[in-house]
Amino acid sequence: MATFVHLTPAVHAARIRRSGIKAQGPGPGSRAGRGVYMFPVVESYALTHQWLRELARRPGPRGIVAVHVRLPDEEEVSVGRYGEREPEVTTAAGAVRRIRGLEDARGWEVFLPRAVGRGEVRYVREVRQVNGWRYMPDAHGTAPCPCEACQVPGGYNARRTRERRALPEYGPAPASRLLLARLDRAELRDDTAALCETLRWYRLRRRGPVARLARLAGHPDAAVRQELARAVARWSTPGVDALLRELAADAADAAVRQAVAESIAYRDTPGADALLTALAGDPDPGVRDIVVEGLVHRETPEAEALLRVLADDPDERVRETVAVLTEE
């Protein structure tokens, strides 16, 4: 018999003693779609209860208890690291051996694809509430990321983290007149890095006069031309389609044409549709490969016809991209 620990809010303790653990879900590798997460009982107390602090910081009732569960050795479970798309399907005894054999088992979990019966619960006990890691293993000592994806509004220390470690792209953008002045100074000094940084702000937060930015389409540095394509691709300003056509005709560097193809993949204008059609016949396979995503997104008869042509492309990478994206 294999013994596991399931961590749950203390308010559920009485119900678990009466009727066992209800299946939650869906879970990874679960055929039934619902089940129970747990971890084997190993020699290390800290490792056995490693998920405690991560679970405790979530919204809901306070206080966590440990439920000890005993399963038959041949019981089918899945085992893997958190977030793993295809965890290993094995037996309960096999999961214990797998985890005991790891050099670092932090972040691993076992999933039982069913509920746990009352007779399989050995006992429910309190655990020390300071055990375990938070956010992820080895997070202690690592500066938290202040981006909006990592810092959930209302989360612990979220506002303080955003204030102390503010990222430029989440702060106020420079005024348009300041960006134009930066462009002028960067062109005078022939400062490619400053030009790219200014164009990045146009891509993130600002719109500028297209006629002024169009001068950069002839810049000798390909990095500037690529950043220009990314900066204007989402604008609805008149003249953007013409500027993108000029960049798409860049014969000096295929990377610029690739940047245009990537930028217009989700641009819904007649000019972008025509430009994407033209780029589908580009001599560079990298450009044609990027064009596939934009054609799949459009779902028009013309796009479907081009996809059929690209499905027989001489380049294997293009053929594989068409096969994968059209299947999805």
Side-chain angles (χ1 to χ4, degrees):
M1 301 287 282
T3 304
F4 298 86
V5 164
H6 170 73
L7 299 176
T8 188
V11 295
H12 299 157
R15 175 177 54 78
I16 289 173
R17 289 189 180 99
R18 288 195 310 269
S19 55
I21 306 172
K22 292 196 303 184
Q24 305 290 329
S30 170
R31 293 179 180 177
R34 298 171 65 83
V36 179
Y37 288 100
M38 52 187 71
F39 194 87
V41 176
V42 295
E43 290 79 5
S44 170
Y45 181 93
L47 186 59
T48 301
H49 304 88
Q50 60 171 298
W51 285 92
L52 193 147
R53 290 186 74 194
E54 170 64 16
L55 295 174
R57 76 181 186 89
R58 297 181 179 181
R62 313 313 300 167
I64 300 289
V65 294
V67 183
H68 283 240
V69 176
R70 178 168 285 180
L71 300 176
D73 287 344
E74 65 276 6
E75 181 76 41
E76 183 177 289
V77 298
S78 60
V79 58
R81 207 168 192 278
Y82 173 76
E84 193 172 314
R85 294 197 173 189
E86 297 183 2
E88 177 186 347
V89 177
T90 182
T91 62
V96 174
R97 286 194 299 269
R98 179 81 172 90
I99 288 178
R100 285 179 178 272
L102 294 171
E103 184 176 343
D104 184 1
R106 290 176 301 172
W108 282 67
E109 57 191 1
V110 176
F111 185 77
L112 174 68
R114 62 171 178 82
V116 174
R118 176 184 175 183
E120 294 172 315
V121 176
R122 293 187 62 199
Y123 51 86
V124 181
R125 62 178 179 79
E126 296 182 354
V127 289
R128 296 196 294 271
Q129 301 296 308
V130 296
N131 187 72
W133 39 263
R134 290 178 60 211
Y135 306 107
M136 66 186 71
D138 295 324
H140 184 71
T142 303
C145 175
C147 79
E148 294 178 352
C150 296
Q151 297 299 324
V152 180
Y156 181 78
N157 267 348
R159 180 177 61 83
R160 184 181 300 176
T161 299
R162 288 196 299 269
E163 290 175 352
R164 289 182 175 180
R165 301 179 53 82
L167 294 174
E169 50 264 45
Y170 294 110
S176 296
R177 59 182 179 80
L178 294 179
L179 289 177
L180 290 173
R182 289 183 186 179
L183 279 179
D184 292 336
R185 290 196 299 270
E187 283 189 291
L188 285 175
R189 299 194 306 266
D190 196 21
D191 190 340
T192 300
L195 280 174
C196 290
E197 175 63 20
T198 306
L199 289 172
R200 187 182 70 89
W201 274 117
Y202 279 115
R203 171 169 55 87
L204 291 173
R205 296 293 182 88
R206 294 293 186 198
R207 294 190 182 187
V210 175
R212 170 65 184 84
L213 297 182
R215 297 187 340 211
L216 297 175
H219 196 277
D221 194 299
V224 174
R225 305 198 298 276
Q226 292 177 50
E227 196 62 41
L228 175 61
R230 300 186 184 102
V232 303
R234 300 191 180 204
W235 297 0
S236 58
T237 312
V240 169
D241 284 331
L243 176 55
L244 289 171
R245 277 197 307 273
E246 182 180 354
L247 291 169
D250 193 311
D253 198 308
V256 178
R257 304 197 300 277
Q258 291 178 14
V260 174
E262 181 180 348
S263 300
I264 65 173
Y266 295 92
R267 180 175 174 81
D268 293 323
T269 65
D273 294 345
L275 185 54
L276 201 66
T277 300
L279 289 173
D282 193 275
D284 182 74
V287 176
R288 301 196 301 274
D289 184 62
I290 296 172
V291 163
V292 173
E293 183 175 354
L295 293 175
V296 172
H297 164 69
R298 274 157 173 78
E299 297 181 350
T300 62
E302 295 79 6
E304 292 176 2
L306 284 173
L307 285 172
R308 286 194 293 270
V309 173
L310 291 173
D312 297 324
D313 193 271
D315 189 89
E316 181 181 0
R317 179 177 54 172
V318 178
R319 297 196 302 270
E320 289 180 353
T321 302
V322 174
V324 170
L325 293 184
T326 52
E327 181 180 355
E328 290 179 355

